[in-house]
Amino acid sequence: MDQPTPQQVRRALARAERGAALDVVEAAALLAATGDELDRLTAAAARVRDAGLVAAGRPGVVTYSPKVFIPVTRLCRDRCHYCTFVETPAQAARDGRAPYLSPDEILAIASQGAELGCLEALFTLGDRPEERWPEARAWLDEQGYDSTLAYVRAMAVRVLEETGLLPHLNPGVMSWEEMNRLKPVSPSMGMMLETTSRRLYETKGEAHFGSPDKDPEVRLRVLEDAGRLSIPFTTGLLVGIGETLTERAETIFALRATLKAYGAVQEVIVQNFRAKPDTAMRHADDLGLDEYRAAIAVTRILLGPKARVQAPPNLVDLAECRALLEAGVDDWGGVSPLTPDHVNPERPWPSLDRLRDISAQCGFELTPRLTVHPEYVRAGEPWLDPRVSAHVAALATDEGLARPGVRPTGLPWQEPDGGFASVGRTDLFAAVDTEGRTDDRRSDFANVYGDWDSVKDAASATGAPAVLHAEGREAMAAAEADPGNLSDEHALTLMTAEGPLLEQVCRLADDLRRETVGDDVTYVVNRNINFTNVCYVGCRFCAFAQRRTDADAYSLSLDEVADRAQEAWDLGATEVCMQGGIDPELPATAYFDLASAVKQRVPDMHVHAFSPMEVVNGTARTGLSIEDFLIKAREAGLGSLPGTAAEILDDEVRWVLTKGKLPTRTWIEVVSTAHRVGIPTTSTMMYGHVDNPRHWVSHLRVLSRIQDESLSSGATGFTEFVPLPFVHTSAPIYLAGVARPGPSLRDNLAVHAMARILLHGRIPNIQTSWVKLGVEGTRAMLQAGANDVGGTLMEETISRMAGSEHGSAKTVAELVEIGAGIGRPVVERTTTYGRR
């Protein structure tokens, strides 16, 4: 629909004003709005923007980033038909310029910017010039860099250390591995999506023909990879380059999908095309102001109140900036007191005083921000790499904006041991190919997990042994008097106990178990259904995940899941536990459909399903809040939630172990919300990798607080706690020499016993995992405070793939034998610990 009818525009506008969800056809109609209808559209967009600013805690504030532009190189392998930034090596030589700015030139620009109060160094450059121009390759070789991005990385470090400016890297298309290497030197990155129109890319004479890096699929992949790596990412659309209204709408929807899926899009720029001399598109008309206003307004409405929407103030006349604000803009992007906009040099920056006046006339206060937007500054990890956190903190207010009057100063940046030469090795696993799984591991095994040298640095700060702080006798006396309310000092002493003191800890735990739940050993007849092993998160401990193209990748259909549930029911199971990888191609309703498929086939089967990570993935795909997602899942048949994906509830450890796939606060929010809406959950802790006993105590404290809050408010809570020993055999983080080879027997006894003690009066059931500990290990834990052996499972893929040697199913008779070996009765239970 290139030219919508007036009726279509009016109908779409009425829906937009009501806040109704819009589709591509309706969005395209709104992009054609003019006159009074355009004014109504921009007013609706402004209301959405204003609501977002109120929710963000900064009503009436429009932001900008004081920055310098550093054109590292103007060489590029692409041939965009509107670009004047790019030049050939011959043009550079004719003007007396080298293919790249030298380190001294880069630092001179950054230093001058710092003196003028700039806070951001925007690295602008063309895509991979060394792949097109021998002159670029020769310059890099001469300087000792294997790629343009390696040079950018090194210069970002120097800018951080010598000026304190925060680098924002804009090098075009980057691979996952490249972004993973750049994240530690840059708080934010960016790449304009521009358009999703394949027509403009594939058709000779159109704007992006002959430009390999302008393939929309490639650029969308960059946005997705940035999201998986938790990189605050700036992107946007370029309007007026020949795209149709429908193509423009499709681009906005693609940006919205990425924003919702990963939460990493910190800002969307809506940039208008300006024709330039000496380009193939020099005779094309500039985008009109009304059409530009409509594009901004539709972008704002579709992206919603939480999004930050930017329009460059130098690409319109100053008086027209007011119209951009009225259309829903809340950010002016980078404005430099020193350097021109090298991409649009014919359009000088407005003075900050004039931009401030225009903003004030519209009722806004102009406030500086950092290159990374406030939400990500406040959140910290996993959005900010620890090696740049201090640089950001030095310039930020508590609200995440720029500190008034601050001047950047250089701060050290911690380079990984071994220098840059050690980063991004492709032979990292050559020495361990003979260990553990090799044939069935994911195809990107050698690079998906990131820079192992930097991981080792971070792990060394988390895995230090705990120090004892109190006499064992005093700690035991306190535990006997009030086990659920031990001080951290006493808890740590007992968690690190050995010899006779550990024996006392285990006896106390066993007594508390008997007092709380009696001598029965409980179990549930269940079946694990790992419905897909396709996962793109790349947790460093996981040997289960595969890429979609891998030979061992699988995804079960709904009928297959229902068939397995039926088979389990016929064999006496009362529960199915369903978990899977974070597959980006799962349908938005996948989790609801899975629960519903089981309940439709076996109405009385209890559905215990979906980790907090899957819940978060589901909210991103559906656009629902956590609460609404869980309510809808419950209505579809979900009975309880496994409290997996907890690992260790400490963000420093999680950063090393999982790359920050799910921050602690989000895990807490998911399980707390589940309790509040009436969905009970289990709780877990995976230990024995890069953690230490302090983390174990802290983790149990977090669970205690959640349970106290849930039960005191009348909500459901945790039904059980499940300590999960780390299975190291095939775990990437172990094969890379970062993690320990799992916990010792002493560790297992201490964790199970102290869980019983510290959770006393809160969580009545402590489960021990026969999958991970085997028969004798399970018996030992049952004599150290545990009372439950989990389920029969019938199949269990995740632990088996990690290298567990204790099987993937147990019969009821085998579970009974475990209890009989220590003289304890074994009793079947339901998921929520009712007796069968």
Side-chain angles (χ1 to χ4, degrees), residues 12 24 108 250 252 315 421 468 494 504 515 521 525 598 659 682:
V24 170
E250 289 170 343
I252 302 171
L315 297 187
L468 304 185
L494 299 184
Q504 293 178 56
E515 171 190 324
V521 173
V525 179
V598 172
K659 300 191 305 177
T682 63

Side-chain angles (χ1 to χ4, degrees), residues 246-525:
T246 297
E247 289 169 338
R248 193 176 299 169
E250 289 170 343
T251 301
I252 302 171
F253 270 90
L255 290 168
R256 185 176 75 166
T258 302
L259 174 63
K260 287 187 174 183
Y262 304 104
V265 175
Q266 66 166 358
E267 175 182 34
V268 172
I269 303 170
V270 185
Q271 183 172 332
N272 54 321
F273 167 75
R274 302 298 300 246
K276 300 176 177 64
D278 302 323
T279 67
M281 295 182 65
R282 60 187 177 276
H283 299 304
D285 292 334
D286 290 356
L287 190 74
L289 180 61
D290 281 355
E291 195 171 353
Y292 190 26
R293 291 168 61 205
I296 293 171
V298 173
T299 300
R300 164 57 69 194
I301 289 170
L302 290 180
L303 297 187
K306 291 184 179 180
R308 305 278 74 85
V309 176
Q310 179 207 130
N314 63 316
L315 297 187
V316 296
D317 295 337
L318 186 63
E320 295 173 335
C321 287
R322 182 185 184 105
L324 308 188
L325 278 174
E326 292 172 346
V329 164
D330 59 9
D331 186 82
W332 291 121
V335 179
S336 179
L338 176 66
T339 53
D341 177 354
H342 289 286
V343 179
N344 300 282
E346 76 283 1
R347 304 292 304 186
W349 298 110
S351 72
L352 286 178
D353 287 341
R354 299 186 69 184
L355 195 59
R356 187 174 291 109
D357 288 343
I358 289 289
S359 300
Q361 291 170 24
C362 295
F364 289 95
E365 175 188 355
L366 183 64
T367 300
R369 62 165 172 86
L370 307 181
T371 177
V372 58
H373 278 252
E375 294 80 358
Y376 303 90
V377 175
R378 293 197 304 269
E381 291 186 27
W383 301 106
L384 299 179
D385 188 278
R387 280 167 284 181
V388 293
S389 294
H391 299 82
V392 173
L395 304 176
T397 65
D398 292 341
E399 293 75 28
L401 292 165
R403 191 176 302 164
V406 68
R407 288 293 186 269
T409 57
L411 293 173
W413 181 88
Q414 181 59 53
E415 180 180 323
D417 291 342
F420 294 118
S422 68
V423 179
R425 294 190 309 234
T426 57
D427 62 340
L428 187 58
F429 294 95
V432 294
D433 277 349
T434 59
E435 299 183 35
R437 295 169 55 236
T438 55
D439 295 335
D440 57 351
R441 68 191 187 188
R442 57 190 296 166
S443 59
D444 56 355
F445 190 79
N447 58 25
V448 71
Y449 303 103
D451 173 6
W452 285 114
D453 291 314
S454 63
V455 174
K456 289 177 184 177
D457 290 341
S460 67
T462 66
V467 178
L468 304 185
H469 289 290
E471 286 287 328
R473 188 182 303 111
E474 177 184 327
M476 275 303 303
E480 290 167 347
D482 192 2
N485 294 293
L486 276 180
S487 68
D488 286 349
E489 182 180 40
H490 287 156
L492 183 60
T493 297
L494 299 184
M495 188 67 85
T496 55
E498 298 181 2
L501 180 59
L502 178 59
E503 294 175 5
Q504 293 178 56
V505 171
C506 291
R507 279 197 299 270
L508 173 59
D510 204 39
D511 291 341
L512 292 172
R513 181 268 308 159
R514 188 177 300 109
E515 171 190 324
T516 303
V517 295
D519 282 333
D520 288 347
V521 173
T522 52
Y523 71 95
V524 64
V525 179

